[in-house]
Amino acid sequence: MKEDLRLKNACVSIDGNLLDVMHALQNGALGIAVVKDSHNKVAGVLTDGDVRRVLINTKNLQEPILPYIQHQVVSVDSSVSRTEVLEIMQSRFLHQIPIIDESGYLVGIHLLHEVLGAYERPNWALIMAGGKGTRLGEITRKTPKPMLKVAGKPIIERIILHLTSYGIRKIYISVNYLYQVILDYLGDGSKYGCKITYLIEENELGTGGAISLLPRNMLDPFVVCNGDLITQANIHEMLEFHKQGNYGITLGLSDYTHSIPYGCVELNDKKVIALYEKPTINKHVNAGIYVVNPDVAKCVPNRFFPITDLIDECFSKNIDVGGWKILEDWLDVGQKNELKLAQKGFI
């Protein structure tokens, strides 16, 4: 059924009655009836539970709905990300959130089962959360870096919500420094709709060594990401890019621009051949999120091992390495300035 027809069937006039709402709930099959005013703007909502509570007190299906409408609607606009929608749903115990534009018109509805992914992906994910975060100084002395909060939620919780919103249900987390803080907070993952398994690093394994701790029975490419990322990267598109390119490993890339505040000079021996006034340099940078094939993962030793060494090994064995550009928001909060930006809501 087309989405616009589903939305149309789920709507009811503010002058309607209980029977109209029951038809909207039945025909729209969204678990919610959206009430519209005479200008076709959203005036409120009614749920299955609302109707049942009204029917306890009256058997009259012609009862006007006006007194029973929930006028305070929890809604979002179309710019809100899947991860943010999932956070709102979990915090408010909601299964539906209307998408309403700035003029008050209904443009869609987020459904919990759709935000979580229509199906469970076979792909796993590994979050690297064992680092000490020494670049952040005193900030991480008692709190592991992935547990630092951005907009009221630990960074690692945001990563988990993002992964689960793309249908990833099996998540491994490598931990070392102050790991009990992470275990106590996240638990087994059931509250996020996934299963979390912890890989405890007896010694620091770097940005790639924890891959060696994963089970060897993986059949599908898996996602690896640093535990200090704030990103809305489209995981589905990244996995599809990796599959279509038949890559051994795919790197997520972000654009980085740096403006040099001085005039730059190009020399040929001692002769000036060009002058560039305050040039801007644009580069693709490693965004700290990867897709890795299981056969490539077997190359990772159980010791301190930067993931960049794994990429170099792919080069040496002529295994193709893909570079997928992240078009969505991305920020590495491993340094104080970036953490402050994230906490101030600049991403």
Side-chain angles (χ1 to χ4, degrees):
M1 183 181 294
K2 293 183 178 180
E3 181 67 20
D4 57 347
L5 180 58
R6 189 166 63 160
L7 288 177
K8 181 179 179 181
N9 289 337
C11 293
V12 62
S13 168
I14 196 170
D15 299 321
N17 54 42
L18 287 179
L19 184 59
D20 295 326
V21 174
M22 294 173 72
H23 282 308
L25 291 169
Q26 175 68 27
N27 297 330
L30 299 176
I32 190 172
V34 179
V35 182
K36 293 186 175 182
D37 63 19
S38 58
H39 301 289
N40 209 36
K41 296 183 179 183
V42 177
V45 297
L46 284 164
T47 66
D48 285 312
D50 294 327
V51 172
R52 286 195 297 270
R53 283 187 288 274
V54 174
L55 289 176
I56 290 174
N57 299 316
T58 178
K59 303 299 181 184
N60 180 16
L61 296 181
Q62 302 302 317
E63 177 85 9
I65 62 173
L66 187 58
Y68 310 108
I69 298 172
Q70 295 185 40
H71 294 284
Q72 299 298 321
V73 182
V74 177
S75 65
V76 296
D77 61 40
S78 56
S79 68
V80 177
S81 70
R82 293 159 59 101
T83 304
E84 292 173 297
V85 170
L86 184 56
E87 290 177 10
I88 296 170
M89 286 178 163
Q90 291 187 324
S91 64
R92 302 289 189 94
F93 303 99
L94 299 173
H95 287 81
Q96 311 90 0
I97 294 183
I99 307 170
I100 301 174
D101 67 17
E102 59 183 12
S103 299
Y105 295 105
L106 180 72
V107 295
I109 293 181
H110 286 296
L111 302 177
L112 179 59
H113 73 272
E114 292 180 354
V115 174
L116 283 172
Y119 62 94
E120 180 178 345
R121 283 186 173 277
N123 312 90
W124 301 353
L126 168 62
I127 302 173
M128 301 292 195
K132 292 183 177 180
T134 52
R135 289 181 297 172
L136 293 173
E138 280 295 305
I139 298 175
T140 53
R141 190 169 66 86
K142 295 183 179 180
T143 303
K145 183 169 55 174
M147 289 298 296
L148 295 176
K149 291 185 177 181
V150 172
K153 282 188 181 294
I155 296 167
I156 193 168
E157 184 176 14
R158 291 184 171 279
I159 295 173
I160 291 169
L161 288 169
H162 189 62
L163 292 169
T164 56
S165 75
Y166 282 96
I168 293 178
R169 298 287 182 268
K170 196 162 189 175
I171 297 176
Y172 288 84
I173 302 177
S174 65
V175 293
N176 177 268
Y177 177 67
L178 298 176
Y179 70 84
Q180 196 62 49
V181 177
I182 298 174
L183 271 63
D184 291 345
Y185 185 87
L186 299 177
D188 63 3
S190 56
K191 60 184 175 181
Y192 306 111
C194 66
K195 179 182 179 182
I196 295 176
T197 302
Y198 298 95
L199 307 175
I200 299 177
E201 302 177 19
E202 295 183 4
N203 300 298
E204 290 185 47
L205 297 177
T207 56
I211 293 174
S212 67
L213 304 177
L214 291 170
R216 296 295 182 176
N217 62 343
M218 286 183 292
L219 300 176
D220 299 278
F222 60 97
V223 177
V224 178
C225 63
N226 296 343
D228 57 1
L229 297 181
I230 302 293
T231 184
Q232 297 299 329
N234 190 315
I235 302 300
H236 169 74
E237 290 185 1
M238 187 175 186
L239 286 166
E240 286 300 306
F241 172 90
H242 178 84
K243 178 181 177 181
Q244 294 300 321
N246 196 28
Y247 299 113
I249 183 169
T250 292
L251 283 68
L253 306 176
S254 181
D255 287 329
Y256 179 80
T257 301
H258 176 68
S259 296
I260 299 176
Y262 308 104
C264 294
V265 177
E266 185 177 345
L267 290 177
N268 182 0
D269 193 11
K270 296 180 180 180
K271 181 180 179 181
V272 175
I273 59 174
L275 179 65
Y276 308 98
E277 185 62 27
K278 299 180 181 179
T280 297
I281 299 173
N282 296 296
K283 291 289 184 180
H284 297 315
V285 298
N286 183 350
I289 182 168
Y290 316 85
V291 177
V292 183
N293 278 357
D295 56 339
V296 171
K298 293 176 183 177
C299 301
V300 178
N302 184 227
R303 59 174 171 77
F304 187 89
F305 187 79
I307 199 167
T308 49
D309 286 4
L310 179 61
I311 296 166
D312 288 337
E313 192 157 341
C314 286
F315 293 151
S316 68
K317 294 180 178 179
N318 292 318
I319 297 172
D320 288 340
V321 176
W324 178 76
K325 291 181 66 174
I326 298 173
L327 302 178
E328 298 79 12
D329 289 337
W330 174 86
L331 190 65
D332 179 342
V333 294
Q335 300 189 50
K336 289 182 180 179
N337 288 342
E338 284 75 9
L339 177 60
K340 288 179 180 179
L341 279 175
Q343 291 177 334
K344 287 180 179 179
F346 291 155
I347 185 167

